[in-house]
Amino acid sequence: MAAELPDDFKCPISLEIMSDPVILSSGHTFDRASIQRWLDAGHRSCPITKLPLPDPPSLIPNHALRSLISNFTLLSLPKPSQTPNPQALIHLLISRSSRLEEKLDSLDQLTRLCKRDSSIRRRLAESGAVSAVLNCIGSGEPGLQEKALHFVLNLSLDDDCKVGLVAEGIVGKIVYALHCGVGDSRAVAATVLTSLAVLEVNKVTIGSYPDAIPGLVSLLQIGSLRERKEAATALFTLCSFSDNRVRVIQCGAVSILIQNADSGLERAVEVLGLLAKCKLARDEMLRFCGFLDVLIGIVSNGSSRGVQYALLTLSSLCCYNEKIGLEALREGLFETCVSLLEDENEKVRRNANMLIQILQGKRKNV
């Protein structure tokens, strides 16, 4: 349906139809989620004009465009007679007489319904679809499990649905898929946990659930590249809650994260940046031979976000341990940080400046 809507309805960043359009001071409109990710990455310029933005940037709701998109979407939706009946699809899922092909097709149609808009997602969540899909996630049939997980992932796009899914016991089924999933199921299961954990209350519930964090750490150790990336993303989201950091450390994640960072998975560095706030994690990092070289390598050659979190981790370690700070000086980290003060990413500049202040203190003691 997106292809049938005017291009002005599409976010210039995601190229998707905007659900919450906001205006930047540059006069251009973006979807709130997309421009927020741009700003969270440290950018302080308009993605289109490249003009600098005020700090903090202001995001003004574009109510007129939002209303226009909503009205246009309603006119563009298929007539009721063309829309699948959710209850009939749910009945096919739970019926013992339904063939596997019918169940797979039902999940496909439910997922397509889910993608339309938030009101449809909420209606599906209230219609009994969740309990029917939970059984599919626990199924031993690979195709059924994966399609059920994709449905849940789409359903979890709304915050109200996130709460409802957890209340209905979805976490246990997702953890089962983390451990026993086949095909792409384990990666999608980790992505679902990331989506659910956006809400603070769900971070607590997921983190305290037996085998949730251990399952993610295990996937980070033995999974494919995609599975490891999704597991690291889920851990990063969960670790914004301090109790979960301790749980992740106690699962032996520090060394596994360092190995992943050394192999090029920068998302692992982001998790290490959060864990470095804990003394227990810092002690483990210092015991890992060659970790300083790994971090300095990322600072020198990593992506903007990787550099940001490598600097954050180095600041925690150098402030905590005199020896590692002096070693960092010998490796030329001070000079590297000075060069980063001209970086276009505001968060990189800020973290580089913080590390410079710490290393200057070490210099005076030499």
Side-chain angles (χ1 to χ4, degrees):
M1 187 176 66
E4 301 170 2
L5 297 177
D7 287 341
D8 289 342
F9 290 1
K10 298 177 183 178
C11 173
I13 296 175
S14 67
L15 303 181
E16 298 289 336
I17 300 302
M18 291 183 278
S19 59
D20 188 6
V22 293
I23 307 171
L24 278 186
S25 58
S26 64
H28 289 276
T29 298
F30 304 86
D31 199 32
R32 184 183 295 275
S34 297
I35 193 62
Q36 191 62 58
R37 281 195 295 271
W38 170 267
L39 296 173
D40 289 345
H43 299 289
R44 286 299 178 268
S45 61
C46 173
I48 294 177
T49 66
K50 306 302 180 186
L51 293 173
L53 300 173
D55 198 7
S58 61
L59 302 179
I60 304 170
N62 191 334
H63 296 298
L65 181 58
R66 182 171 185 170
S67 177
L68 195 60
I69 293 173
S70 178
N71 292 335
F72 199 103
T73 303
L74 287 173
L75 291 172
S76 304
L77 284 174
K79 296 177 181 178
S81 60
Q82 298 174 313
T83 303
N85 183 339
Q87 290 299 333
L89 297 174
I90 294 167
H91 177 74
L92 281 172
L93 282 179
I94 62 178
S95 174
R96 292 185 177 181
S97 61
S98 296
R99 292 177 288 110
L100 176 61
E101 293 76 10
E102 291 176 316
K103 293 184 176 183
L104 292 172
D105 182 62
S106 295
L107 281 170
D108 279 337
Q109 293 191 62
L110 285 169
T111 301
R112 284 196 294 272
L113 283 172
C114 241
K115 290 180 178 179
R116 285 190 179 167
D117 59 47
S118 57
S119 62
I120 293 178
R121 286 192 285 272
R122 285 194 290 271
R123 289 202 298 271
L124 282 172
E126 295 165 359
S127 67
V130 175
S131 58
V133 172
L134 285 180
N135 293 328
C136 295
I137 295 176
S139 163
E141 171 54 46
L144 201 60
Q145 183 183 66
E146 188 177 329
K147 286 182 182 293
L149 287 166
H150 277 291
F151 169 75
V152 170
L153 180 59
N154 279 283
L155 203 61
S156 70
L157 294 174
D158 285 349
D159 286 353
D160 289 343
C161 291
K162 287 178 171 64
V163 175
L165 285 167
V166 171
E168 292 213 36
I170 193 73
V171 176
K173 295 294 185 180
I174 301 302
V175 170
Y176 169 82
L178 271 182
H179 289 277
C180 305
V182 293
D184 289 335
S185 291
R186 296 195 299 179
V188 181
T191 309
V192 172
L193 288 182
T194 300
S195 178
L196 295 174
V198 168
L199 294 186
E200 292 300 313
V201 65
N202 285 352
K203 287 181 173 67
V204 179
T205 304
I206 295 169
S208 60
Y209 194 93
D211 292 332
I213 287 178
L216 289 169
V217 173
S218 175
L219 194 60
L220 187 65
Q221 184 174 29
I222 65 173
S224 65
L225 177 59
R226 182 191 172 193
E227 289 170 342
R228 288 185 286 118
K229 183 177 180 180
E230 297 299 341
T233 303
L235 289 172
F236 177 80
T237 308
L238 288 167
C239 282
S240 63
F241 177 60
S242 58
D243 287 1
N244 286 340
R245 294 176 207 148
V246 176
R247 295 184 177 108
V248 170
I249 296 164
Q250 290 174 340
C251 285
V254 172
S255 61
I256 297 170
L257 286 163
I258 294 173
Q259 290 164 2
N260 274 276
D262 191 27
S263 68
L265 185 65
E266 288 192 353
R267 192 59 55 84
V269 185
E270 298 174 22
V271 185
L272 289 167
L274 296 181
L275 296 184
K277 298 178 180 181
C278 300
K279 178 182 181 298
L280 183 61
R282 293 194 296 270
D283 288 336
E284 287 199 35
M285 291 175 191
L286 292 172
R287 286 195 292 268
F288 195 98
C289 182
F291 183 41
L292 179 62
D293 292 334
V294 172
L295 290 176
I296 292 177
I298 294 169
V299 169
S300 301
N301 303 303
S303 69
S304 184
R305 192 168 171 87
V307 172
Q308 174 191 331
Y309 280 93
L311 289 169
L312 185 65
T313 308
L314 283 163
S315 294
S316 296
L317 293 176
C318 291
C319 188
Y320 176 66
N321 184 275
E322 185 77 16
K323 182 180 177 182
I324 202 76
L326 295 174
E327 189 177 343
L329 281 171
R330 288 193 295 271
E331 293 291 333
L333 185 58
F334 183 88
E335 292 75 14
T336 303
C337 288
V338 170
S339 69
L340 290 172
L341 293 178
E342 302 299 320
D343 194 272
E344 66 172 15
N345 188 309
E346 186 269 338
K347 291 185 178 180
V348 169
R349 296 196 304 271
R350 185 180 64 202
N351 288 355
N353 185 60
M354 178 171 63
L355 185 50
I356 285 171
Q357 303 305 314
I358 295 169
L359 293 176
Q360 280 179 330
K362 305 295 181 187
R363 269 183 160 183
K364 294 175 183 178
N365 298 329
V366 175

